[in-house]
Every structure is written in structure tokens, then in C-alpha cells.
Amino acid sequence: MAKELKDLEEHQLIKRIVVDDYPVKILYKAEPYAKTITPIIEVLKTWGQNHRKKLFAGGKMDEVESVL
């Protein structure tokens, strides 16, 4: 998980914040740019929900709403 967080920080998607306290706390905050992926995630979520409906409907695509 540490590698993934470091990658996200290097790609300027999150900001690492060190709180100099006892014990030291490490916080991560999403950068504003990271929020630009939200529409893509929403489309993927809708696709996944429709795919699940398709699987449970026995593969009948006409029973599934369009993502686009």
C-alpha cells in the first residue's frame, strides 16, 4: 500500500501531510486534479451495474439500460 500511495503522490493525485505530533501522523489529501477522474469512475460504476444486471438476466441485453 505504501508504494501505491507514493505513486499517487508522484503523479500529483494526492498530497502527503506529516503531522508532527506524538505519535507522528501521516495524512493524505486528494489534490483537486484527482477529482477530474470522477466522471470516468461514475461511467465505470454504471457499466458494472449494467453488466451485473446482464449476467443475472441470463445475458439478455435488452433488459439493461445503456451506459452512453
Side-chain angles (χ1 to χ4, degrees):
M1 179 165 195
K3 183 185 180 325
E4 288 82 0
L5 289 169
K6 189 171 189 155
D7 288 345
L8 290 170
E9 186 179 11
E10 287 176 7
H11 290 230
Q12 300 175 5
L13 295 171
I14 63 171
K15 181 176 183 173
R16 184 176 188 257
I17 302 164
V18 179
V19 179
D20 195 20
D21 201 0
Y22 184 80
V24 173
K25 294 180 187 176
I26 307 295
L27 306 173
Y28 292 92
K29 181 180 175 188
E31 293 284 4
Y33 177 69
K35 292 176 176 54
T36 63
I37 198 167
T38 301
I40 296 166
I41 293 170
E42 289 297 323
V43 169
L44 286 171
K45 175 184 165 190
T46 301
W47 182 89
Q49 290 169 336
N50 285 336
H51 182 65
R52 184 176 171 93
K53 288 177 189 175
K54 177 184 182 299
L55 292 177
F56 286 110
K60 298 175 186 170
M61 223 20 223
D62 57 339
E63 296 179 20
V64 178
E65 62 189 77
S66 174
V67 173
L68 302 177

Coordinates of all heavy atoms in Angstrom, one line a residue:
M1 N 0.8 -1.2 0.0 CA 0.0 0.0 0.0 C 0.9 1.3 0.0 O 0.5 2.2 -0.6 CB -0.9 0.0 1.2 CG -1.8 1.2 1.3 SD -3.1 0.9 2.4 CE -4.2 2.2 2.0
A2 N 2.0 1.2 0.7 CA 2.9 2.4 0.7 C 3.4 2.8 -0.7 O 3.4 4.0 -1.0 CB 4.1 2.1 1.6
K3 N 3.6 1.8 -1.5 CA 4.1 2.0 -2.9 C 3.0 2.7 -3.7 O 3.3 3.7 -4.4 CB 4.5 0.7 -3.6 CG 5.1 1.0 -5.0 CD 5.4 -0.3 -5.7 CE 5.9 -0.1 -7.1 NZ 5.4 1.0 -7.9
E4 N 1.8 2.3 -3.5 CA 0.7 2.9 -4.3 C 0.5 4.3 -3.8 O 0.2 5.2 -4.7 CB -0.6 2.1 -4.0 CG -0.7 0.7 -4.8 CD 0.1 -0.4 -4.0 OE1 0.6 -0.1 -2.9 OE2 0.1 -1.5 -4.5
L5 N 0.6 4.6 -2.5 CA 0.4 6.0 -2.1 C 1.5 6.8 -2.6 O 1.3 8.0 -3.0 CB 0.4 6.0 -0.5 CG -0.8 5.4 0.1 CD1 -0.6 5.3 1.6 CD2 -2.0 6.3 -0.2
K6 N 2.8 6.3 -2.6 CA 3.9 7.0 -3.2 C 3.7 7.3 -4.7 O 4.0 8.4 -5.2 CB 5.2 6.3 -3.0 CG 6.4 7.0 -3.3 CD 7.7 6.3 -2.9 CE 8.9 7.2 -3.0 NZ 10.0 6.9 -2.2
D7 N 3.2 6.3 -5.4 CA 2.9 6.5 -6.8 C 1.8 7.6 -7.0 O 2.0 8.5 -7.9 CB 2.4 5.2 -7.5 CG 3.5 4.2 -7.7 OD1 4.7 4.6 -7.6 OD2 3.2 3.0 -7.9
L8 N 0.8 7.6 -6.2 CA -0.3 8.6 -6.4 C 0.3 10.0 -6.0 O -0.1 11.0 -6.7 CB -1.4 8.3 -5.4 CG -2.3 7.1 -5.8 CD1 -3.2 6.7 -4.7 CD2 -3.0 7.3 -7.1
E9 N 1.2 10.1 -5.1 CA 1.8 11.4 -4.7 C 2.7 11.8 -5.9 O 2.7 13.0 -6.3 CB 2.6 11.2 -3.4 CG 3.2 12.5 -2.9 CD 4.0 12.4 -1.6 OE1 4.2 11.2 -1.2 OE2 4.3 13.4 -1.1
E10 N 3.5 10.9 -6.5 CA 4.4 11.3 -7.6 C 3.6 11.8 -8.8 O 4.0 12.6 -9.5 CB 5.2 10.1 -8.0 CG 6.4 9.8 -7.0 CD 7.2 8.6 -7.3 OE1 7.0 8.0 -8.4 OE2 8.0 8.2 -6.5
H11 N 2.4 11.2 -9.0 CA 1.5 11.6 -10.1 C 0.6 12.8 -9.7 O -0.3 13.1 -10.5 CB 0.7 10.4 -10.5 CG 1.5 9.3 -11.2 ND1 1.2 8.8 -12.4 CD2 2.6 8.7 -10.8 CE1 2.1 7.9 -12.7 NE2 3.0 7.8 -11.8
Q12 N 0.9 13.4 -8.6 CA 0.2 14.6 -8.2 C -1.3 14.4 -8.0 O -2.1 15.3 -8.3 CB 0.5 15.8 -9.1 CG 2.0 16.1 -9.2 CD 2.3 17.2 -10.2 OE1 1.5 17.8 -10.8 NE2 3.6 17.4 -10.3
L13 N -1.7 13.3 -7.6 CA -3.1 13.0 -7.3 C -3.5 13.1 -5.8 O -4.6 13.4 -5.5 CB -3.5 11.6 -7.8 CG -3.4 11.4 -9.3 CD1 -3.5 9.9 -9.7 CD2 -4.4 12.2 -10.0
I14 N -2.5 12.9 -5.0 CA -2.7 13.1 -3.5 C -1.5 13.9 -3.0 O -0.5 14.0 -3.6 CB -2.8 11.8 -2.8 CG1 -1.5 11.0 -2.9 CG2 -4.0 11.0 -3.2 CD1 -1.5 9.7 -2.0
K15 N -1.8 14.5 -1.8 CA -0.7 15.2 -1.1 C -0.5 14.5 0.3 O -1.5 14.2 1.0 CB -1.2 16.7 -0.9 CG -0.1 17.5 -0.2 CD -0.6 19.0 -0.1 CE 0.5 19.8 0.6 NZ 0.2 21.2 0.5
R16 N 0.8 14.3 0.6 CA 1.1 13.7 1.8 C 1.4 14.8 2.9 O 2.1 15.7 2.6 CB 2.4 12.9 1.7 CG 2.8 12.1 2.9 CD 4.0 11.2 2.5 NE 4.4 10.3 3.5 CZ 5.4 10.5 4.4 NH1 6.2 11.6 4.2 NH2 5.7 9.6 5.3
I17 N 0.7 14.7 4.0 CA 0.8 15.6 5.1 C 1.3 14.9 6.3 O 0.8 14.0 6.8 CB -0.5 16.3 5.4 CG1 -1.1 17.0 4.1 CG2 -0.4 17.3 6.5 CD1 -2.6 17.3 4.1
V18 N 2.5 15.5 6.9 CA 3.0 14.9 8.1 C 2.6 15.8 9.2 O 2.9 17.0 9.2 CB 4.6 14.8 8.0 CG1 5.2 14.2 9.3 CG2 5.0 14.0 6.8
V19 N 1.9 15.2 10.2 CA 1.5 16.0 11.4 C 2.6 15.7 12.5 O 2.6 14.5 13.0 CB 0.1 15.6 11.8 CG1 -0.3 16.4 13.1 CG2 -0.9 15.9 10.7
D20 N 3.3 16.6 12.8 CA 4.4 16.4 13.8 C 3.8 16.5 15.2 O 3.7 17.5 15.9 CB 5.5 17.5 13.6 CG 6.8 17.2 14.4 OD1 7.0 16.0 14.6 OD2 7.5 18.1 14.6
D21 N 3.4 15.3 15.6 CA 2.7 15.1 16.9 C 3.3 13.8 17.5 O 4.2 13.2 16.9 CB 1.2 15.0 16.7 CG 0.4 15.3 17.9 OD1 1.0 15.6 19.0 OD2 -0.8 15.3 17.8
Y22 N 2.8 13.5 18.6 CA 3.3 12.2 19.2 C 2.0 11.3 19.3 O 1.1 11.6 20.1 CB 4.0 12.3 20.5 CG 4.5 11.0 21.0 CD1 5.6 10.5 20.5 CD2 3.7 10.2 21.9 CE1 6.1 9.2 20.9 CE2 4.2 9.0 22.4 CZ 5.4 8.5 21.9 OH 5.8 7.3 22.3
P23 N 2.0 10.2 18.6 CA 2.9 9.8 17.6 C 2.7 10.6 16.3 O 1.6 11.2 16.1 CB 2.5 8.3 17.4 CG 1.1 8.2 17.7 CD 0.9 9.3 18.8
V24 N 3.7 10.5 15.5 CA 3.6 11.3 14.2 C 2.5 10.7 13.4 O 2.3 9.5 13.3 CB 5.0 11.1 13.4 CG1 4.9 11.7 12.0 CG2 6.1 11.8 14.2
K25 N 1.7 11.5 12.7 CA 0.6 11.1 11.9 C 0.9 11.5 10.4 O 1.4 12.5 10.2 CB -0.7 11.8 12.3 CG -1.2 11.4 13.7 CD -2.5 12.1 14.0 CE -2.9 11.9 15.4 NZ -4.1 12.6 15.8
I26 N 0.6 10.6 9.6 CA 0.7 10.8 8.1 C -0.7 10.8 7.6 O -1.5 9.9 7.7 CB 1.5 9.7 7.4 CG1 2.9 9.5 8.1 CG2 1.6 10.0 5.9 CD1 3.8 10.7 8.0
L27 N -1.1 11.9 7.0 CA -2.4 12.1 6.3 C -2.2 12.2 4.8 O -1.2 12.7 4.4 CB -3.1 13.3 6.9 CG -3.2 13.4 8.4 CD1 -3.8 14.8 8.8 CD2 -4.1 12.3 8.9
Y28 N -3.2 11.9 4.1 CA -3.2 12.0 2.7 C -4.5 12.8 2.2 O -5.6 12.5 2.7 CB -3.2 10.7 2.0 CG -1.8 10.0 2.2 CD1 -1.7 9.1 3.2 CD2 -0.8 10.2 1.3 CE1 -0.4 8.5 3.5 CE2 0.5 9.6 1.5 CZ 0.6 8.7 2.6 OH 1.8 8.1 2.8
K29 N -4.3 13.7 1.4 CA -5.4 14.5 0.9 C -5.4 14.5 -0.6 O -4.4 14.7 -1.3 CB -5.3 16.0 1.4 CG -6.4 16.9 1.0 CD -6.2 18.3 1.5 CE -7.3 19.2 1.0 NZ -7.1 20.5 1.3
A30 N -6.6 14.3 -1.2 CA -6.8 14.3 -2.7 C -6.5 15.7 -3.2 O -7.0 16.7 -2.6 CB -8.1 13.8 -3.1
E31 N -5.7 15.8 -4.2 CA -5.5 17.1 -4.9 C -6.7 17.4 -5.8 O -7.4 16.5 -6.2 CB -4.2 17.0 -5.8 CG -2.9 16.8 -5.0 CD -2.5 18.1 -4.4 OE1 -3.2 19.1 -4.4 OE2 -1.4 18.1 -3.8
P32 N -7.0 18.6 -6.0 CA -8.1 19.0 -6.9 C -8.1 18.3 -8.2 O -9.2 17.8 -8.7 CB -8.0 20.5 -7.1 CG -7.3 21.0 -5.8 CD -6.3 19.8 -5.5
Y33 N -7.0 18.1 -8.8 CA -6.9 17.4 -10.1 C -7.4 16.0 -10.0 O -8.0 15.4 -11.0 CB -5.4 17.4 -10.6 CG -5.2 16.6 -11.9 CD1 -5.7 17.1 -13.1 CD2 -4.5 15.5 -11.9 CE1 -5.6 16.5 -14.3 CE2 -4.3 14.8 -13.1 CZ -4.8 15.3 -14.3 OH -4.7 14.6 -15.4
A34 N -7.2 15.3 -8.9 CA -7.7 13.9 -8.7 C -9.2 13.8 -8.9 O -9.7 12.8 -9.4 CB -7.3 13.4 -7.3
K35 N -9.9 14.9 -8.6 CA -11.4 14.8 -8.8 C -11.8 14.8 -10.2 O -13.0 14.5 -10.5 CB -12.0 16.0 -8.0 CG -11.8 15.9 -6.5 CD -12.3 17.1 -5.8 CE -12.3 16.9 -4.3 NZ -11.0 16.6 -3.7
T36 N -10.9 15.1 -11.2 CA -11.3 15.1 -12.6 C -11.6 13.7 -13.1 O -12.1 13.5 -14.2 CB -10.2 15.8 -13.5 OG1 -9.0 15.0 -13.4 CG2 -10.0 17.2 -13.0
I37 N -11.2 12.7 -12.3 CA -11.5 11.3 -12.7 C -12.9 10.8 -12.3 O -13.3 9.8 -12.7 CB -10.4 10.3 -12.2 CG1 -10.4 9.0 -13.0 CG2 -10.5 10.1 -10.7 CD1 -9.2 8.2 -12.8
T38 N -13.6 11.6 -11.5 CA -14.9 11.2 -11.0 C -15.9 10.8 -12.1 O -16.5 9.8 -12.0 CB -15.5 12.3 -10.1 OG1 -14.6 12.5 -9.0 CG2 -16.8 12.0 -9.6
P39 N -16.0 11.6 -13.2 CA -16.9 11.2 -14.3 C -16.6 9.8 -14.9 O -17.5 9.0 -15.2 CB -16.8 12.3 -15.3 CG -16.2 13.5 -14.6 CD -15.4 12.9 -13.5
I40 N -15.3 9.5 -15.0 CA -14.9 8.2 -15.5 C -15.3 7.1 -14.6 O -15.8 6.1 -15.0 CB -13.4 8.2 -15.8 CG1 -13.0 9.3 -16.9 CG2 -12.9 6.8 -16.2 CD1 -11.6 9.6 -17.0
I41 N -15.1 7.3 -13.3 CA -15.4 6.3 -12.3 C -16.9 6.1 -12.3 O -17.4 5.0 -12.2 CB -14.9 6.8 -10.9 CG1 -13.4 6.7 -10.9 CG2 -15.5 5.9 -9.8 CD1 -12.8 7.3 -9.6
E42 N -17.7 7.2 -12.4 CA -19.2 7.1 -12.5 C -19.6 6.2 -13.7 O -20.5 5.4 -13.5 CB -19.8 8.4 -12.5 CG -19.7 9.2 -11.2 CD -20.5 8.5 -10.0 OE1 -21.5 7.9 -10.3 OE2 -19.9 8.5 -8.9
V43 N -19.0 6.4 -14.8 CA -19.4 5.6 -16.0 C -19.0 4.2 -15.8 O -19.8 3.3 -16.1 CB -18.7 6.2 -17.3 CG1 -18.8 5.3 -18.5 CG2 -19.3 7.6 -17.6
L44 N -17.8 3.9 -15.2 CA -17.4 2.5 -14.9 C -18.4 1.9 -13.9 O -18.7 0.7 -14.1 CB -16.0 2.5 -14.4 CG -14.9 2.7 -15.5 CD1 -13.5 2.9 -14.8 CD2 -14.9 1.6 -16.5
K45 N -18.8 2.7 -13.0 CA -19.7 2.1 -12.0 C -21.1 1.7 -12.6 O -21.6 0.6 -12.4 CB -20.0 3.2 -10.9 CG -21.1 2.8 -9.9 CD -21.3 4.0 -8.9 CE -22.6 3.8 -8.1 NZ -23.0 5.0 -7.4
T46 N -21.6 2.6 -13.5 CA -22.8 2.3 -14.2 C -22.6 1.1 -15.1 O -23.5 0.2 -15.2 CB -23.2 3.5 -15.1 OG1 -23.4 4.6 -14.2 CG2 -24.5 3.3 -15.8
W47 N -21.5 1.0 -15.8 CA -21.2 -0.1 -16.6 C -21.2 -1.4 -15.8 O -21.8 -2.4 -16.2 CB -19.9 0.0 -17.4 CG -19.6 -1.1 -18.3 CD1 -20.0 -1.2 -19.6 CD2 -19.0 -2.4 -17.9 NE1 -19.6 -2.5 -20.1 CE2 -19.0 -3.2 -19.1 CE3 -18.4 -2.9 -16.8 CZ2 -18.4 -4.4 -19.1 CZ3 -17.8 -4.1 -16.8 CH2 -17.8 -4.9 -18.0
G48 N -20.6 -1.4 -14.7 CA -20.5 -2.5 -13.8 C -21.9 -3.0 -13.3 O -22.2 -4.2 -13.3
Q49 N -22.7 -2.0 -13.0 CA -24.1 -2.3 -12.5 C -24.9 -2.9 -13.6 O -25.6 -3.9 -13.4 CB -24.8 -1.1 -12.0 CG -24.2 -0.6 -10.7 CD -24.6 0.8 -10.3 OE1 -25.1 1.6 -11.1 NE2 -24.6 1.1 -9.0
N50 N -24.7 -2.4 -14.8 CA -25.5 -2.9 -16.0 C -24.9 -4.3 -16.4 O -25.7 -5.2 -16.7 CB -25.3 -2.0 -17.2 CG -26.2 -0.8 -17.0 OD1 -27.2 -0.8 -16.3 ND2 -25.9 0.3 -17.7
H51 N -23.6 -4.5 -16.2 CA -23.1 -5.8 -16.5 C -23.6 -6.9 -15.6 O -23.9 -8.0 -16.0 CB -21.5 -5.7 -16.5 CG -20.9 -7.0 -16.8 ND1 -21.0 -7.6 -18.1 CD2 -20.1 -7.9 -16.1 CE1 -20.3 -8.7 -18.1 NE2 -19.8 -8.9 -16.9
R52 N -23.7 -6.5 -14.3 CA -24.2 -7.4 -13.3 C -25.7 -7.7 -13.6 O -26.1 -8.9 -13.5 CB -24.1 -6.7 -11.9 CG -24.6 -7.6 -10.8 CD -24.3 -6.8 -9.5 NE -24.9 -7.5 -8.4 CZ -24.3 -8.4 -7.6 NH1 -23.0 -8.7 -7.8 NH2 -24.9 -9.0 -6.6
K53 N -26.5 -6.7 -14.0 CA -27.9 -7.0 -14.4 C -27.9 -7.9 -15.6 O -28.8 -8.8 -15.6 CB -28.6 -5.7 -14.8 CG -28.9 -4.8 -13.6 CD -29.5 -3.5 -14.1 CE -29.6 -2.5 -13.0 NZ -30.2 -1.2 -13.5
K54 N -27.0 -7.7 -16.5 CA -27.0 -8.6 -17.7 C -26.7 -10.0 -17.3 O -27.3 -11.0 -17.8 CB -25.9 -8.1 -18.7 CG -25.7 -8.9 -19.9 CD -24.6 -8.4 -20.8 CE -24.3 -9.1 -22.0 NZ -24.0 -10.5 -21.9
L55 N -25.7 -10.2 -16.4 CA -25.4 -11.6 -16.0 C -26.6 -12.2 -15.3 O -26.8 -13.4 -15.6 CB -24.2 -11.5 -15.1 CG -22.9 -11.1 -15.7 CD1 -21.8 -11.1 -14.6 CD2 -22.5 -12.1 -16.8
F56 N -27.3 -11.5 -14.5 CA -28.4 -12.1 -13.7 C -29.6 -12.2 -14.6 O -30.5 -12.9 -14.2 CB -28.7 -11.3 -12.4 CG -27.6 -11.5 -11.4 CD1 -26.7 -10.6 -11.0 CD2 -27.5 -12.8 -10.7 CE1 -25.8 -10.8 -10.0 CE2 -26.6 -13.0 -9.8 CZ -25.7 -12.0 -9.4
A57 N -29.7 -11.5 -15.7 CA -30.8 -11.6 -16.6 C -30.6 -12.7 -17.7 O -31.4 -12.8 -18.6 CB -31.0 -10.3 -17.3
G58 N -29.5 -13.5 -17.5 CA -29.2 -14.5 -18.5 C -28.7 -14.0 -19.8 O -28.8 -14.7 -20.8
G59 N -28.0 -12.9 -19.7 CA -27.4 -12.4 -20.9 C -28.3 -11.6 -21.9 O -27.9 -11.3 -23.0
K60 N -29.5 -11.3 -21.4 CA -30.4 -10.5 -22.3 C -30.1 -9.0 -22.2 O -30.4 -8.4 -21.2 CB -31.9 -10.8 -21.9 CG -32.3 -12.2 -22.0 CD -33.6 -12.4 -21.5 CE -34.0 -13.9 -21.5 NZ -35.2 -14.2 -20.8
M61 N -29.5 -8.5 -23.2 CA -29.0 -7.1 -23.2 C -30.2 -6.1 -23.3 O -30.1 -5.0 -22.8 CB -28.1 -6.9 -24.4 CG -26.8 -6.1 -24.2 SD -26.2 -5.9 -22.6 CE -25.8 -4.2 -22.7
D62 N -31.3 -6.5 -23.8 CA -32.4 -5.6 -23.9 C -33.0 -5.2 -22.6 O -33.8 -4.2 -22.4 CB -33.5 -6.1 -24.8 CG -34.1 -7.5 -24.4 OD1 -33.4 -8.2 -23.6 OD2 -35.2 -7.8 -24.8
E63 N -32.7 -5.9 -21.5 CA -33.2 -5.6 -20.2 C -32.2 -4.7 -19.4 O -32.4 -4.4 -18.2 CB -33.3 -6.9 -19.4 CG -34.4 -7.9 -20.0 CD -34.5 -9.1 -19.2 OE1 -34.1 -9.2 -18.0 OE2 -35.1 -10.1 -19.7
V64 N -31.2 -4.3 -20.1 CA -30.2 -3.4 -19.4 C -30.2 -2.1 -20.0 O -30.2 -1.9 -21.2 CB -28.8 -4.1 -19.6 CG1 -27.7 -3.2 -18.9 CG2 -28.8 -5.5 -18.9
E65 N -30.1 -1.0 -19.2 CA -30.1 0.4 -19.7 C -28.7 0.7 -20.3 O -27.7 0.1 -19.9 CB -30.4 1.3 -18.6 CG -29.4 1.3 -17.4 CD -29.9 2.1 -16.3 OE1 -30.7 1.6 -15.5 OE2 -29.3 3.2 -16.1
S66 N -28.7 1.6 -21.2 CA -27.5 2.0 -21.9 C -26.6 2.9 -21.0 O -27.1 3.7 -20.3 CB -27.8 2.7 -23.2 OG -26.6 3.2 -23.8
V67 N -25.3 2.7 -21.0 CA -24.4 3.5 -20.3 C -24.2 4.8 -21.0 O -24.0 5.9 -20.3 CB -23.0 2.8 -20.1 CG1 -22.0 3.7 -19.4 CG2 -23.2 1.5 -19.3
L68 N -24.1 4.8 -22.3 CA -23.8 6.0 -23.0 C -25.0 6.9 -23.2 O -26.0 6.7 -23.5 CB -23.2 5.7 -24.4 CG -21.9 4.9 -24.2 CD1 -21.3 4.5 -25.6 CD2 -20.8 5.6 -23.5

